[in-house]
Amino acid sequence: MSVPAHEQGFEPAKQEPAPRLTLMVLPWATGQRDAAAILESVRAQALPGCEILVVGPRKTVVAAGEDHGTGALARVTVSDSPTAVEAFNAGLDAASGEFVVAVDHPLADAAVLTIIETIHAHDDLDVLYGDDGGQDHAGTVVPTDRRPDFSPERLRSQMYFGTFTVYRAALLRDVGGYRAGFPGAEAYDLALRATERARFVLHLPRVLSMPREPGGTESGAGSPQTTADSELRAVSEHLDRTIGGSAEPGRISGTFRIRRSLHGAPLVSIIIPTRGSSAVIRGESRCLVVEAVRGIVDRSDYASVEIVVVVDDATPAPVIEELRVLAGDRLVVVPWSEPFSFSGKVNRGVVCSRGDYLLLLNDDTEVIAPDWIQSMLAIAQQPDVGMVGAMLYFEDGSIQHAGHLYDHGNAGHIGFGWPHDAPGPNGAFVVDREVSGVTAACAVLPRQVYFEVGGLSAVFPGNYNDVDLSMKVTGAGYRIIWTPWAELVHFESKTRVPTIGHRELRAIRARWGHRMRRDPYWPDGPGDFVKRG
């Protein structure tokens, strides 16, 4: 039930012209004392084009809505059944703004102005979220939780939006606002349903909210187990509405593993360039390509594969014979007699393959997770996905690759050198997520995408060929996804300094430098999370 503002003794704010933004404060969810602090920060930024709406039980909203000498009265609506769902939806019913945001924490300086300017600049904007911040010892506002640009894959694995999300009011009403039955996860459930229908979801890389604790809290939160159960149910229903599959709890709280259903059993061509070299692995001399193929045959659950090995003339004949014994009729041997070119060898292997999906694989890798192919393939089967990458570890178990990062014209590996079980910043190492690129040491692409973008470029025979491929894939409108569930060891040395020709470095920057200035999916920049190439 809602009681009109004039019955509470407050004069409604003038609504001409209609406001673009409704700032909705819910004292029930935040507590009366916190609500007063939040309302004070909101009133301090009151601008033409926004309205302030206080929603909650009668006694609480009357206290929160008092003027306190500011001269900026808040319009009040009373919800006599103050649950998180009913309070939010009562506010949505009363809101007259074109956009609505539930304000759970004090606003950062100029947040309202920034939001209204952004709304004016994007006619198709439906959802907007920003970063959280705090104050350092000098009192300067600094980001404490930088979020990536919109990452739908990550959102279905983790509620990374935070507590401050601006929605177009018509979209909220269309999806029904908050839903009952998701205690502690109402905002997550809403974010999933709203982004399914949104035309444009924008991350604004600015501090908009100042939570007292990093990450904030979910309004109406119950026990941790209740919240976890609600989140899992929200994600499961989202999967039923969209891509199918199932969800299960992830490696850390608040994350989920998405198990997608495979469509059929398409042939996957595993392309491995090699010269049959050996190396000392775990104290023993081993032929790298033989052990890589042995791992595929012995430890992989997915059977519909062909193994295309592109061999130099120098490859020892016993190596090829051992590969034939291991792989049988699944082996395709492709000769290479030209000067070294990783790109050329992979392209030739692709031309000689038959699979609908291509799995590019270095010969110095070893399978860990038996379902590594299914994990990557099921993602690659989504029609807008152009490439999928894997979690690679060094021999000592530390992380070698958790996606590419492009920053200030440099390319590097996210997670380089981090401990094996590290969840990463904000859980980034344990969830499926969009990335700007992945290494060709292990990557899956639909065959038609590989040919559409021209495969690996001969301009980059040894380095940056995967960076170039990633840029071409995303430039063609496809998403690139990295998954932690496809796990392999990559026996590349952490201490080896690869020889990068100046020609290749100049070429990659000349071709893609304009897109390598800021990585949209890793907003913190390199920091300690990346080794630059």
Side-chain angles (χ1 to χ4, degrees):
M1 172 183 175
S2 294
V3 178
H6 69 271
E7 292 185 23
Q8 297 302 313
F10 296 99
E11 290 295 328
K14 293 182 179 179
Q15 300 299 311
E16 302 232 357
R20 300 302 302 272
L21 177 65
T22 294
L23 297 144
M24 184 164 59
V25 180
L26 294 88
W28 180 90
T30 60
Q32 187 168 329
R33 179 177 299 177
D34 285 345
I38 293 168
L39 191 57
E40 182 179 353
S41 79
V42 170
R43 281 175 166 148
Q45 298 188 36
L47 292 169
C50 70
E51 72 169 351
I52 303 170
L53 184 62
V54 185
V55 186
R58 185 183 307 269
K59 181 178 179 180
T60 303
V61 300
V62 169
E66 290 172 352
D67 185 357
H68 300 299
T70 65
L73 289 173
R75 191 160 63 88
V76 170
T77 190
V78 172
S79 171
D80 288 336
S81 301
T83 67
V85 172
E86 291 164 326
F88 182 92
N89 290 341
L92 179 59
D93 289 342
S96 55
E98 184 181 358
F99 289 82
V100 174
V101 57
V103 186
D104 292 342
H105 301 282
L107 299 178
D109 289 345
V112 171
L113 176 62
T114 301
I115 293 167
I116 291 178
E117 288 178 339
T118 304
I119 289 171
H120 281 298
H122 300 280
D123 290 339
D124 58 348
L125 179 63
D126 284 334
V127 182
L128 168 69
Y129 63 98
D131 299 335
D132 287 345
Q135 291 185 335
D136 62 14
H137 295 299
T140 303
V141 174
V142 294
T144 57
D145 189 355
R146 296 181 189 267
R147 298 186 171 90
D149 284 3
F150 182 46
S151 177
E153 211 65 49
R154 185 168 186 170
L155 186 61
R156 60 174 57 109
S157 298
Q158 176 189 44
M159 175 50 168
Y160 74 88
F161 275 8
T163 60
F164 190 90
T165 308
V166 182
Y167 292 98
R168 186 179 293 273
L171 175 63
L172 286 183
R173 294 178 179 119
D174 186 46
V175 301
Y178 272 4
R179 290 198 299 172
F182 297 87
E186 294 91 352
Y188 192 9
D189 175 59
L190 177 61
L192 290 167
R193 289 182 289 119
T195 55
E196 290 167 20
R197 302 192 191 186
R199 296 167 299 169
F200 180 38
V201 180
L202 176 65
H203 165 240
L204 193 61
R206 289 278 304 274
V207 174
L208 300 179
S209 182
M210 303 281 284
R212 288 175 172 78
E213 296 181 3
T217 57
E218 183 97 47
S219 64
S223 70
Q225 187 58 55
T226 297
T227 297
D229 292 343
S230 297
E231 290 177 336
L232 181 59
R233 186 161 59 255
V235 172
S236 298
E237 292 191 11
H238 161 76
L239 296 175
D240 290 341
R241 294 189 301 267
T242 55
I243 64 172
S246 62
E248 61 189 50
R251 290 174 178 162
I252 64 173
S253 175
T255 67
F256 302 93
R257 179 175 185 177
I258 307 303
R259 291 188 182 272
R260 298 160 183 80
S261 301
L262 278 175
H263 303 298
L267 180 65
V268 176
S269 296
I270 305 176
I271 313 297
I272 308 175
T274 190
R275 57 183 292 111
S277 301
S278 295
V280 176
I281 303 295
R282 302 188 181 101
E284 297 182 2
S285 179
R286 296 167 36 172
C287 178
L288 294 171
V289 69
V290 168
E291 296 309 312
V293 171
R294 191 189 310 278
I296 295 169
V297 172
D298 291 347
R299 289 191 289 278
S300 299
D301 291 342
Y302 192 76
S304 183
V305 300
E306 65 172 2
I307 303 172
V308 181
V309 181
V310 184
V311 299
D312 288 357
D313 289 343
T315 303
V319 170
I320 298 175
E321 182 57 32
E322 192 166 3
L323 292 176
R324 294 190 190 281
V325 172
L326 283 171
D329 59 6
R330 290 190 287 180
L331 181 71
V332 177
V333 177
V334 178
W336 178 264
S337 302
E338 301 170 36
F340 170 77
S341 172
F342 179 87
S343 296
K345 292 177 77 171
V346 170
N347 287 341
R348 180 169 296 181
V350 168
V351 169
C352 296
S353 69
R354 299 178 294 113
D356 292 326
Y357 291 86
L358 308 170
L359 199 167
L360 315 185
L361 189 68
N362 277 18
D363 66 354
D364 58 345
T365 55
E366 179 181 83
V367 173
I368 298 175
D371 60 351
W372 67 295
I373 296 177
Q374 297 98 305
S375 296
M376 302 173 78
L377 178 59
I379 299 174
Q381 286 186 318
Q382 296 181 60
D384 64 341
V385 172
M387 185 153 60
V388 183
M391 170 66 94
L392 303 182
Y393 300 102
F394 287 112
E395 184 179 355
D396 66 3
S398 60
I399 295 173
Q400 190 260 335
H401 176 81
H404 273 173
L405 181 149
Y406 308 136
D407 179 81
H408 290 86
N410 298 297
H413 297 292
I414 294 172
F416 191 94
W418 274 54
H420 184 280
D421 58 352
N426 298 319
F429 299 166
V430 296
V431 293
D432 296 337
R433 53 187 165 81
E434 277 80 0
V435 290
S436 294
V438 293
T439 177
C442 182
V444 171
L445 301 90
R447 186 181 192 87
Q448 88 277 1
V449 171
Y450 192 87
F451 280 94
E452 178 185 339
V453 302
L456 294 179
S457 172
V459 174
F460 306 100
N463 297 287
Y464 298 119
N465 36 58
D466 47 10
V467 175
D468 178 70
L469 179 63
S470 297
M471 287 291 180
K472 291 188 293 187
V473 168
T474 54
Y478 296 101
R479 293 186 295 145
I480 298 178
I481 308 298
W482 174 86
T483 179
W485 308 109
E487 297 176 285
L488 299 92
V489 178
H490 187 197
F491 293 107
E492 180 183 71
S493 171
K494 284 195 293 185
T495 59
R496 179 180 69 88
V497 179
T499 301
I500 299 176
H502 291 294
R503 183 187 62 81
E504 289 177 302
L505 181 58
R506 287 194 301 269
I508 198 68
R509 287 177 172 171
R511 183 176 288 190
W512 301 114
H514 63 291
R515 291 180 53 198
M516 297 173 67
R517 296 171 183 166
R518 169 191 173 267
D519 197 303
Y521 299 117
W522 198 265
D524 285 301
D528 295 326
F529 316 135
V530 60
K531 176 184 177 182
R532 284 179 171 172

